[in-house]
Amino acid sequence: MALMKFLFPPSLFVTATSLASFTLMASSGLSELRGKNLEYSKFFNIGSKASDVEKSKLKLPSRIAMATLYTPAFLAGVSSFAIFPDENLRFLLLKSTISIHFFKRVLESCFLHKYSGEMGLDTMIVILSSYFISSALVIFNQHLTMGLPEPPIDLTNPGILLFSIGIIGNFYHHYLLSKLRSQGPNKEYKIPKGGLFGFVICPHYLFEVLVFWGFAFISQTLFSFAYAMGTTFYLLGRSSATRKWYLSKFEDFPMNVKAMIPFLF
């Protein structure tokens, strides 16, 4: 099988967790396409009466919720240096990139992003669990490759390149978004401009996808590839929902601006 030239041979455990991860993430992306959106950011309270939400949901300020949901995944990356101290360069790179990415997201949530709403505790727990469990499984499945023959085609260097482009591009477009929101009490949304925003409404998602494919190329396990593919499907769905939201809010939204992939989607 051609794919096995790029992967470590998967065990039954790796195959099962890979299938579960991809299925859950891809189905979440399909739900986003169908309008059943996770209720955070622009989609908080969408499809619900405010009074019902007030009564039935515990909520947190968005800044606290967002910083909290990334922290366990960051801690999973950092703790892996102590749990698996004597591993090879590939594993060291994987642990480092996971830790760097989620530490960046915690810092952005605390100091960069502008928030105007809240997040339901239930939504925060769902996203927190997904990031934490998936990151822990990427790391653990990498540990299971110790002693196995290396894949015939080494993707480590392309993985480092993808990760670097992804994390820089993701930060840059988050920075542009942070400058777009007004500083007053009513932080209204505006049509983003600059960078790749002239081509897609969610370039930060595009670059986040590159980060996860960077993890996959560095790791070269079936699970990391399934996780990257599942994340791609989810963010495609979320970006499509975001584009529809902008179309509904702004009459002057440019129709040539796609959701996540320039000129294509």
Side-chain angles (χ1 to χ4, degrees):
M1 185 177 179
L3 184 61
M4 297 313 298
K5 293 181 179 180
F6 302 96
L7 299 177
F8 287 97
S11 65
L12 180 60
F13 173 80
V14 172
T15 302
T17 55
S18 301
L19 181 60
S21 175
F22 174 77
T23 302
L24 287 171
M25 294 295 291
S27 62
S28 296
L30 186 59
S31 293
E32 293 285 339
L33 281 172
R34 291 174 172 172
K36 297 179 180 179
N37 312 110
L38 275 176
E39 293 190 11
Y40 65 94
S41 186
K42 301 172 183 64
F43 300 99
F44 185 67
N45 285 1
I46 293 292
S48 301
K49 293 182 180 179
S51 58
D52 293 336
V53 174
E54 290 289 340
K55 293 177 181 178
S56 63
K57 288 190 176 183
L58 293 174
K59 297 176 292 183
L60 293 171
S62 289
R63 188 177 305 281
I64 294 174
M66 294 299 288
T68 300
L69 67 84
Y70 290 116
T71 299
F74 164 64
L75 294 177
V78 171
S79 63
S80 68
F81 287 92
I83 297 171
F84 306 114
D86 300 317
E87 308 290 1
N88 58 23
L89 177 61
R90 183 192 296 276
F91 203 171
L92 177 63
L93 288 169
L94 180 64
K95 293 184 289 188
S96 299
T97 51
I98 289 174
S99 300
I100 290 168
H101 171 66
F102 286 107
F103 185 51
K104 165 187 163 292
R105 295 300 290 122
V106 171
L107 291 179
E108 287 177 338
S109 299
C110 290
F111 304 111
L112 180 66
H113 295 314
K114 302 293 191 300
Y115 297 104
S116 58
E118 297 172 305
M119 179 185 292
L121 181 62
D122 54 347
T123 299
M124 187 198 77
I125 291 173
V126 168
I127 301 173
L128 180 155
S129 300
S130 175
Y131 277 132
F132 172 69
I133 293 171
S134 297
S135 298
L137 283 173
V138 168
I139 292 166
F140 181 69
N141 283 331
Q142 196 67 37
H143 170 68
L144 296 180
T145 67
M146 296 299 103
L148 296 178
E150 286 281 323
I153 299 176
D154 185 3
L155 298 177
T156 304
N157 288 332
I160 294 171
L161 179 61
L162 280 177
F163 173 79
S164 300
I165 294 171
I167 201 164
I168 292 170
N170 181 254
F171 172 78
Y172 174 65
H173 288 90
H174 281 163
Y175 171 79
L176 293 179
L177 284 173
S178 74
K179 295 301 179 185
L180 189 69
R181 303 290 295 276
S182 62
Q183 299 297 321
N186 298 317
K187 299 182 176 67
E188 299 92 353
Y189 283 98
K190 300 176 183 176
I191 299 174
K193 299 183 185 299
L196 292 184
F197 281 114
F199 300 93
V200 293
I201 197 60
C202 294
H204 48 305
Y205 287 174
L206 173 63
F207 285 103
E208 187 165 2
V209 164
L210 294 184
V211 167
F212 281 87
W213 280 106
F215 295 157
F217 278 31
I218 291 170
S219 173
Q220 292 190 240
T221 64
L222 179 62
F223 183 85
S224 65
F225 270 69
Y227 183 34
M229 184 63 73
T231 299
T232 302
F233 275 91
Y234 172 71
L235 291 178
L236 283 170
R238 187 74 177 182
S239 66
S240 177
T242 300
R243 184 176 185 274
K244 291 177 183 176
W245 183 90
Y246 274 101
L247 284 168
S248 71
K249 297 293 182 181
F250 298 95
E251 294 181 358
D252 58 340
F253 184 83
M255 296 301 295
N256 63 306
V257 172
K258 299 297 185 180
M260 194 177 89
I261 303 174
F263 310 112
L264 297 177
F265 181 88

